[in-house]
Each structure stands twice: as structure tokens, then as C-alpha cells.
């Protein structure tokens, strides 16, 4: 769910058509109704005229909302867009400093969220052998988290959905261990084991 910035005045200037209150209401409904929800976003810093206070509002919003991950970038003028002609363009050095601090904050949040999920079992769609370690499989959970786990001898799991318990958290996802098959299907994972 791209939020772009955590400041209502900037959202209005960007003509986004929603407020942070509306955004937070949707997030609250999603989190209360979707078990195991992983929420990611897009955040752009340095829109023309962005003040220090507006930047701090975005940092506070990210800290409070606690996204699983975010695509973060600095605004860059695009020829032909209205914003490219706005006065008060934020200096590149300020944009990059703000972006660097946001990345540190979001990475910390991502690692904390992932660490809190160690011990959970995920349904993982196996994609391939790990490019960094051919002795491991790699795949994605329903939440879009990468999970690497040791390959079982003689089993080709590519394209299969398997259960993997997260044993170690990383910024990018988890290391885990393959769990025995279960008869039931359609379980909303992660599930506590």
C-alpha cells in the first residue's frame, strides 16, 4: 500500500487524494481481519518544499505504522511534470541524508518484525536452489518473505508448496527448516508451532 509520505499537507500537494487518517483506517481494518498480514509500502522523500517537520512526520508515521518492508527513494524532478517546476526544490544532499536515515529506521523495523516471527511455520512456494548455497532451497512465503532452508536428499521441491519453520531472522527474510507434511490444506499461515 504505497503511502508516499507521512504528512497530510504534502499528500495534498502531491494530489494523492487521501489523508493519513484514511490510510491508517484501511491499515487497521486489514490488520484486524487478515491473519499473518505483511504490509509493505512506497515512500518518497524530498518532494519540493518538504520541510524538516514534514520529514519528521514521515519518520514518525513509518515508526508507528511498522511496515514489513518499504521501497524508499528520493524525489527527482521529471521533465513535463508540474512538480518539476515547483519552487523550493529540496537540495540533493538533504534528500539523500533524509533517505539514509529513513532506510536505517525501516531496516531496524523490518529486522524486529522478522525476529518476532522466528519459530512460526510458513507455507513456502519453492522457487529454486539458493544461488548462494546450492545445499539449500529458496522460496517465498505467502507474505512475500524469502525463506532459505536445507535441501533434503533426493527431493526436487521446485514448484511445490512446503511448510518451513523460521529458525533465524534476516533483513531479507528467514533461514528455516522443512517441516513434515500435514494432511490439511488451505491453512492461513504463518501458524504457531
Amino acid at each position: 500500500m504505497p503511502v508516499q509520505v507521512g504528512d497530510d499537507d504534502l499528500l495534498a500537494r502531491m494530489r494523492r487524494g487521501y489523508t493519513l487518517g484514511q490510510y491508517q483506517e484501511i491499515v487497521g481494518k486489514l490488520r484486524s481481519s487478515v491473519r499473518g498480514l505483511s504490509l509493505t509500502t512506497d515512500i518518497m522523500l524530498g518532494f519540493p518544499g518538504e520541510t524538516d517537520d514534514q520529514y519528521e512526520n514521515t519518520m514518525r508515521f513509518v515508526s508507528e505504522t511498522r511496515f514489513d518492508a518499504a521501497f524508499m527513494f528520493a524525489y527527482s524532478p521529471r521533465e513535463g511534470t508540474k512538480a518539476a517546476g515547483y519552487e523550493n526544490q529540496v537540495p540533493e544532499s538533504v534528500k539523500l541524508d533524509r533517505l539514509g536515515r529513513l532506510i536505517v529506521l525501516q531496516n531496524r523495523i523490518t529486522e524486529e518484525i522478522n525476529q518476532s516471527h522466528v519459530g512460526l511455520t510458513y507455507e513456502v512456494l519453492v522457487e529454486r536452489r539458493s544461488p548462494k548455497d546450492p545445499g539449500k532451497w529458496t522460496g517465498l512465503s505467502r507474505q512475500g518473505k524469502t525463506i532459505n532452508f536445507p535441501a533434503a536428499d533426493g527431493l526436487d521441491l521446485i514448484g511445490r508448496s512446503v511448510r518451513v519453520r523460521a529458525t533465524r531472522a534476516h533483513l531479507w527474510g528467514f533461514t528455516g527448516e522443512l517441516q513434515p507434511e500435514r494432511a490439511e490444506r488451505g491453512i492461513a499461515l504463518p501458524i504457531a508451532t
Side-chain angles (χ1 to χ4, degrees):
M1 285 184 55
V3 68
Q4 299 302 324
V5 293
D7 182 87
D8 280 331
D9 290 338
L10 277 178
L11 286 173
R13 287 190 65 230
M14 296 166 81
R15 300 175 192 236
R16 293 297 172 188
Y18 54 87
T19 66
L20 291 178
Q22 292 167 323
Y23 185 95
Q24 288 170 320
E25 184 178 341
I26 293 168
V27 168
K29 287 179 181 177
L30 286 170
R31 286 186 166 155
S32 67
S33 61
V34 180
R35 184 171 173 229
L37 177 73
S38 178
L39 188 62
T40 64
T41 195
D42 295 346
I43 301 170
M44 177 178 66
L45 295 175
F47 189 76
E50 179 186 70
T51 65
D52 289 341
D53 286 344
Q54 289 169 328
Y55 162 72
E56 290 301 331
N57 288 343
T58 296
M59 293 291 279
R60 188 171 24 264
F61 181 81
V62 168
S63 184
E64 292 169 0
T65 306
R66 296 187 57 83
F67 297 100
D68 284 69
F71 177 69
M72 302 163 280
F73 58 100
Y75 166 82
S76 58
R78 297 285 186 251
E79 189 177 330
T81 63
K82 195 170 189 174
Y86 286 171
E87 293 182 12
N88 299 324
Q89 296 286 329
V90 177
E92 194 69 19
S93 61
V94 172
K95 289 190 283 190
L96 293 178
D97 177 65
R98 289 176 179 175
L99 178 60
R101 288 189 283 153
L102 175 64
I103 289 170
V104 168
L105 171 64
Q106 181 56 57
N107 284 351
R108 180 181 54 77
I109 292 167
T110 297
E111 288 176 333
E112 289 171 0
I113 289 171
N114 287 350
Q115 186 61 44
S116 74
H117 292 179
V118 168
L120 295 180
T121 297
Y122 288 88
E123 184 176 0
V124 176
L125 178 60
V126 181
E127 296 181 332
R128 65 185 183 276
R129 295 275 185 169
S130 169
K132 293 184 179 179
D133 182 352
K136 291 183 179 174
W137 293 109
T138 188
L140 289 176
S141 72
R142 288 181 180 262
Q143 295 77 13
K145 302 212 184 231
T146 299
I147 302 181
N148 291 326
F149 59 97
D153 290 337
L155 287 180
D156 182 4
L157 298 178
I158 294 175
R160 290 192 49 204
S161 181
V162 297
R163 293 167 30 86
V164 180
R165 187 173 69 83
T167 57
R168 189 166 160 213
H170 309 279
L171 178 61
W172 48 262
F174 303 99
T175 301
E177 57 187 28
L178 186 63
Q179 298 296 288
E181 289 286 328
R182 285 171 126 181
E184 66 265 22
R185 292 282 179 229
I187 300 171
L189 297 175
I191 56 174
T193 56

